[in-house]
Amino acid sequence: MSSAAGTSGSKLRAITGGQEGLGTGRSLHVFVVDDQRTNRRLVSKLASGLRSGVEVHEFEGPQDAVDAAATTTPDLVITDYRMPEMTGAELIRQLRQWHACDQTPMIVVTAYNEQSFRYDALRAGATDFLISPVDHEEFKARAGNLLTLRFQQRILQRRASMLKARLKNRSRLQREELRHSEDKSRLVMNTVPAMVSAFDRSGHCVYINNRQGVFLGVDPEMVTEQPMEAVFDADYAAKHRALNDLVVARNEPIEDIEETLVDAHGVEYFFLTTKAPLNDTADDVSSIVTVSVDISERKKLEERLWHEAHYDALTGLPNRKLLEQQLARWLGTDGNGSPGLAVFYLDLDGFKHINDAYGHGVGDEVLQATAERLSDWAVPCDMLARLGGDEFICVIRDAPETRQVDYLAQNLMDALDEPVKATGLTFQIRGSIGIALRAAATSAPASLLANANAALYRAKAKGRHCWAYYKPELTEQAQRRIQIEAALRHALESDPGQLALALQPVRDLTTSELVAYEALVRWQHPDEGFVPPNEFIPLAEATGLIRVLGAQMLEASGRWMMAHAEPDSRQQIAINISPAEIASSDFEERCRTILARTGLPAHRLELEITENGLMDQDRETLERLESLRRDGITIAIDDFGTGYSSLQYIKALPADRLKMDRAFIAGISRDPDNRAIVAATVAIADHFGLEVVGEGVEDPEDAATLKELGLDRVQGYLYGYPQIVGSFDDA
Ligand code: C2E
Ligand code: MG
Ligand code: MG
């Protein structure tokens, strides 16, 4: 422009101002190009008066005008046609090449007769013509219109570019806002205590949050757009692709998927996973969001609770609940044609003795050692459980025929027979086993166990340390036991007339003097008739009814003695006492109270306690008995010889007499073995200052042998049957 201005020599600057000038923000530039100075000045003068804000640039040579256009865009060009450097048409052509000038109105001034020049100028892009010499009014009209048009065009352009700029600005702001909100949601996603990932429908990663990244050991930015297989392991990818397809197909979430996932360090975690579709505006699923919450702690707690509910805390073996569940499964899935299932119900003989003598700590250790022993049993059983106490269950699913089951039972007993060590002590544990085979049983786990228990009951009745099979009769017996128990309770509590006191005489073997009576209970059941004590006493012992019965027997015996026995003699009444009675802490006091009430002197009362019953007692109970002995009450060890005590224990027991069991007495005159046993017992009893009584003497020859062996007292049908002397409700 400086060259243009310089070359042009004179540059007219019209006074700019007014609305239009301000509105456009700059002047309206009019280029006047003419090699003839006079013409140029004239046209310039006319142009500067066209409207306010006009700035006229005069150029003598067209090339100067072209150069000036590079810096100042003309709003109107008025050019002569004939010029030495280039024609007006050529000037227009060159100016039109500038993008800025393509809308600029351009007027060519030609002489009247120069028609061909006008065509040429039109082709080059001229907008209008003026005939030289220029008519002032025509010039004002034509050039003025073109300049106004240009002026408005410029306003429009300016508005358009302003709008464009505003639009540009707004979308920049929107983009910023979006980025800001994306950052915010990213922040939220990174703080939620869950792994979050989104994959598009084709299985490419859209997003994973930091927690997911840390779990996988990857940078979240790096896995974006990667296929699922490149982000997760193959199993996860296969499973989750299928799940994602399902979410897309249904267009609804999938909840509560529990899964185990392994992190980048190989540590296993439990997750609760939810999947949800992410819809685009057309309501089509664009991606699938997966949220996984770590539930490892909850899972561990659940597992612990489950374990506690299904396993025995002491031995770690399954408990009854788990056993029954497992049995139900096996019994349900095994067809009837399967070889059958065998349940071995084990009970340790004399375990109570260990507990009482050494304390529960040692008892627990013995149980643990037993559980280990059974776990190591050479025969692989399908389940080993502890039901509580000293009861264990072995289950064999495919038990072979009975002969082999016998073999297994023997094997199991042998395994238990091995001594067990606990806190440095060695214990000889022995067991009894009840066996229930599925073939002979119902298919309900509880009744199968009940059957095995009935068989165990029978094994114990057979004398323990053996096994017995369940038979349907055992169920009948068990049912009968329940009925008898109910009837006995009724008799004791509401109908004491059913119960009676029977007495059997005991004589001095040397003098034949009546020295005592044994008190034996008799029960006349209203429907069943006489029920033998051997049937209902064990039941009364098992249910605790024995304490009521024992108290009533003692009361009836005391009353009878005071009413009928010779007042000054030393005749005694011997009462059978069950272990369950003496074990209760108020036994001592109960004895004394009843003696006081009936008036029977203590030295006229003898308590008969079986050998096993006495052996099973703890120190405290033995001390209670000792205290009663100090009162004058005597104690006899009943059924002596049938228990498992060794003779050396006797000296530690609070006893005055041994009652040799009938098994050694009956037929002793013809049995040298029994004779030897009784002779030895008499010798040891003598040594400890104990008397010996022979029970169940029926035969005079046996009586003679006993006399020979030096027994003190005898009792048996030979001397008198038990005789009922009155019922419990006799006043
Ligand atoms: P036990 O204490 O050994 O009583 C002796 C049992 O032998 C009695 O049977 C008696 O009738 C029976 N007996 C006596 N002499 C002979 C004989 O020469 N030959 C034969 N074959 N038997 C004879 P019972 O009355 O059936 O009593 C059985 C068991 O029941 C008793 O055995 C005792 O352990 C228990 N018992 C009986 N009454 C009571 C009681 O009131 N309380 C407790 N706790 N147990 C009792
Ligand atoms: Mg007795
Ligand atoms: Mg006896």
Side-chain angles (χ1 to χ4, degrees):
M1 186 159 135
S2 58
S3 68
T7 330
S8 65
S10 66
K11 194 166 89 178
L12 292 184
R13 186 176 294 270
I15 301 155
T16 58
Q19 291 282 316
E20 296 135 308
L22 286 173
T24 57
R26 73 170 174 99
S27 312
L28 287 161
H29 299 281
V30 177
F31 280 20
V32 175
V33 190
D34 202 320
D35 56 324
Q36 301 285 318
R37 188 167 181 271
T38 323
N39 290 347
R40 201 165 69 232
R41 297 307 315 247
L42 175 71
V43 170
S44 291
K45 199 168 171 226
L46 289 172
S48 62
L50 281 175
R51 56 187 297 136
S52 64
V54 167
E55 198 179 313
V56 178
H57 305 263
E58 287 179 33
F59 301 96
E60 186 182 345
Q63 188 56 51
D64 291 341
V66 172
D67 293 343
T71 48
T72 305
T73 304
D75 294 299
L76 177 64
V77 177
I78 305 162
T79 178
D80 184 23
Y81 187 83
R82 281 170 179 271
M83 288 177 290
E85 230 176 4
M86 63 177 82
T87 64
E90 186 53 29
L91 170 65
I92 288 169
R93 197 171 285 120
Q94 289 203 17
L95 286 174
R96 286 276 184 242
Q97 279 171 9
W98 292 102
H99 174 68
C101 295
D102 62 351
Q103 302 282 323
T104 305
M106 296 188 193
I107 299 172
V108 181
V109 183
T110 57
Y112 179 74
N113 56 350
E114 291 171 335
Q115 187 79 12
S116 63
F117 293 171
R118 280 179 221 156
Y119 290 139
D120 189 21
L122 267 179
R123 277 194 294 271
T127 319
D128 204 354
F129 303 96
L130 281 170
I131 304 295
S132 176
V134 174
D135 176 79
H136 290 199
E137 286 309 310
E138 194 184 0
F139 179 86
K140 270 187 202 161
R142 286 182 187 257
N145 285 345
L146 286 174
L147 202 56
T148 304
L149 212 66
R150 171 65 180 170
F151 177 70
Q152 281 163 353
Q153 195 185 44
R154 265 182 51 187
I155 290 175
L156 285 174
Q157 265 177 357
R158 197 177 159 80
R159 279 201 187 138
S161 62
M162 262 165 59
L163 281 174
K164 225 161 118 185
R166 225 179 275 164
L167 204 68
K168 212 171 136 190
N169 199 29
R170 187 172 299 165
S171 56
R172 185 179 55 81
L173 283 173
Q174 274 174 346
R175 269 202 312 279
E176 266 174 17
E177 223 167 78
L178 191 70
R179 208 178 43 238
H180 191 61
S181 76
E182 269 178 8
D183 283 351
K184 264 207 289 204
S185 45
R186 240 169 245 272
L187 198 73
V188 171
M189 288 302 176
N190 283 333
T191 42
V192 291
M195 300 200 299
V196 182
S197 65
F199 281 77
D200 66 16
R201 297 170 63 135
S202 70
H204 287 80
C205 180
V206 177
Y207 169 78
I208 68 169
N209 74 348
N210 281 352
R211 193 174 278 253
Q212 178 81 76
V214 169
F215 189 84
L216 295 170
V218 297
D219 178 355
E221 301 289 332
M222 301 302 285
V223 296
T224 314
E225 288 174 22
Q226 295 286 321
M228 207 182 281
E229 289 73 11
V231 185
F232 294 97
D233 65 55
D235 288 347
Y236 180 98
K239 176 182 160 193
H240 281 259
R241 265 185 189 273
L243 286 169
N244 284 5
D245 288 348
L246 205 64
V247 172
V248 173
R250 293 188 190 158
N251 195 3
E252 58 183 42
I254 302 178
E255 284 166 1
D256 297 337
I257 308 161
E258 279 195 22
E259 52 185 356
T260 314
L261 303 177
V262 178
D263 77 356
H265 308 289
V267 183
E268 206 179 70
Y269 293 87
F270 282 99
F271 285 94
L272 186 67
T273 295
T274 303
K275 283 180 175 287
L278 205 64
N279 294 327
D280 56 20
T281 41
D283 218 24
D284 277 339
V285 179
S286 62
S287 48
I288 303 92
V289 178
T290 304
V291 179
S292 298
V293 179
D294 183 358
I295 54 162
S296 306
E297 285 304 314
R298 196 187 86 190
K299 206 77 189 166
K300 265 187 233 158
L301 187 73
E302 271 174 16
E303 270 168 20
R304 215 184 65 210
L305 290 177
W306 190 88
H307 197 272
E308 277 170 13
H310 292 83
Y311 284 86
D312 166 42
L314 181 66
T315 60
L317 294 178
N319 64 11
R320 179 188 287 271
K321 192 170 178 186
L322 185 55
L323 172 73
E324 286 190 358
Q325 283 174 3
Q326 191 58 58
L327 275 178
R329 261 192 295 273
W330 286 337
L331 294 170
T333 51
D334 282 359
N336 275 333
S338 76
L341 183 145
V343 172
F344 295 78
Y345 201 126
L346 264 93
D347 183 275
L348 305 184
D349 301 332
F351 174 72
K352 187 183 176 306
H353 177 55
I354 295 174
N355 243 356
D356 290 341
Y358 299 94
H360 286 272
V362 174
D364 283 354
E365 276 189 48
V366 169
L367 288 174
Q368 283 167 334
T370 307
E372 260 171 56
R373 174 72 51 78
L374 292 172
S375 304
D376 294 344
W377 183 33
V379 180
C381 67
D382 293 294
M383 183 172 245
L384 175 65
R386 178 178 172 230
L387 296 192
D390 57 349
E391 294 181 339
F392 294 87
I393 298 280
C394 288
V395 181
I396 297 205
R397 287 178 71 185
D398 290 323
E401 54 189 273
T402 313
R403 230 167 356 107
Q404 281 161 306
V405 174
D406 277 338
Y407 169 78
L408 292 177
Q410 181 62 58
N411 206 285
L412 201 51
M413 289 224 313
D414 291 348
L416 281 179
D417 278 352
E418 289 285 314
V420 160
K421 279 202 165 62
T423 47
L425 297 164
T426 304
F427 295 95
Q428 181 69 57
I429 301 291
R430 296 184 139 195
S432 304
I433 305 172
I435 304 168
L437 300 174
R438 191 224 174 151
T442 76
S443 55
S447 42
L448 194 59
L449 289 176
N451 291 345
N453 190 24
L456 174 69
Y457 199 90
R458 190 164 149 252
K460 284 184 180 173
K462 283 201 309 188
R464 298 167 187 261
H465 197 223
C466 64
W467 67 87
Y469 285 91
Y470 168 77
K471 290 183 291 187
E473 303 94 271
L474 294 181
T475 301
E476 285 162 28
Q477 287 168 14
Q479 284 165 356
R480 183 177 155 80
R481 279 200 297 274
I482 291 166
Q483 285 164 4
I484 293 286
E485 186 208 316
L488 180 63
R489 188 181 295 277
H490 171 77
L492 281 169
E493 289 170 0
S494 323
D495 193 4
Q498 290 182 25
L499 296 158
L501 169 68
L503 297 179
Q504 187 178 28
V506 181
R507 292 192 177 271
D508 183 291
L509 191 51
T510 332
T511 63
S512 293
E513 196 187 335
L514 179 81
V515 285
Y517 297 98
E518 178 169 7
L520 297 160
V521 67
R522 292 291 176 260
W523 180 22
Q524 191 70 27
H525 189 287
D527 308 322
E528 308 243 344
F530 175 72
V531 183
N534 283 335
E535 185 176 349
F536 68 84
I537 293 290
L539 271 178
E541 286 175 339
T543 55
L545 281 175
I546 193 70
R547 292 168 55 185
V548 185
L549 185 131
Q552 295 191 7
M553 270 297 277
L554 186 56
E555 184 100 35
S557 303
R559 274 203 318 265
W560 187 88
M561 283 293 279
M562 291 312 287
H564 301 98
E566 294 168 33
D568 299 326
S569 87
R570 295 191 58 81
Q571 275 172 3
Q572 282 187 302
I573 184 133
I575 297 184
N576 293 286
I577 302 293
S578 293
E581 289 177 80
I582 44 170
S584 72
S585 55
D586 61 349
F587 174 70
E588 201 182 327
E589 202 193 312
R590 224 170 40 225
C591 274
R592 292 195 177 113
T593 310
I594 297 174
L595 283 183
R597 195 160 52 225
T598 56
L600 185 72
H603 67 268
R604 301 194 71 175
L605 177 65
E606 178 153 280
L607 303 179
E608 288 193 12
I609 304 161
T610 59
E611 183 186 358
N612 284 344
L614 207 51
M615 284 292 296
D616 282 347
Q617 299 307 323
D618 55 25
R619 255 167 263 152
E620 230 178 287
T621 307
L622 297 181
E623 273 162 24
R624 273 201 292 276
L625 291 177
E626 199 56 70
S627 153
L628 288 173
R629 272 185 82 207
R630 283 196 294 272
D631 286 2
I633 295 173
T634 58
I635 292 174
I637 302 178
D638 203 356
D639 301 349
F640 191 79
T642 57
Y644 49 76
S645 67
S646 74
L647 286 172
Q648 61 166 355
Y649 280 137
I650 295 168
K651 70 168 180 216
L653 295 177
D656 303 276
R657 272 179 200 96
L658 302 182
K659 287 188 85 172
M660 276 316 278
D661 194 74
R662 201 171 69 86
F664 302 97
I665 303 296
I668 192 168
S669 59
R670 301 176 300 279
D671 188 332
D673 288 349
N674 282 345
R675 194 191 160 101
I677 291 169
V678 174
T681 307
V682 170
I684 288 171
D686 251 9
H687 179 76
F688 292 127
L690 300 171
E691 286 193 2
V692 181
V693 186
E695 271 197 285
V697 185
E698 295 178 0
D699 182 68
E701 280 179 37
D702 289 343
T705 308
L706 295 176
K707 201 168 184 176
E708 215 177 286
L709 290 173
L711 267 75
D712 304 283
R713 295 177 169 190
V714 275
Q715 178 187 350
Y717 295 165
L718 184 64
Y719 308 99
Y721 289 90
Q723 302 258 322
I724 290 180
V725 294
S727 77
F728 280 14
D729 64 354
D730 287 346

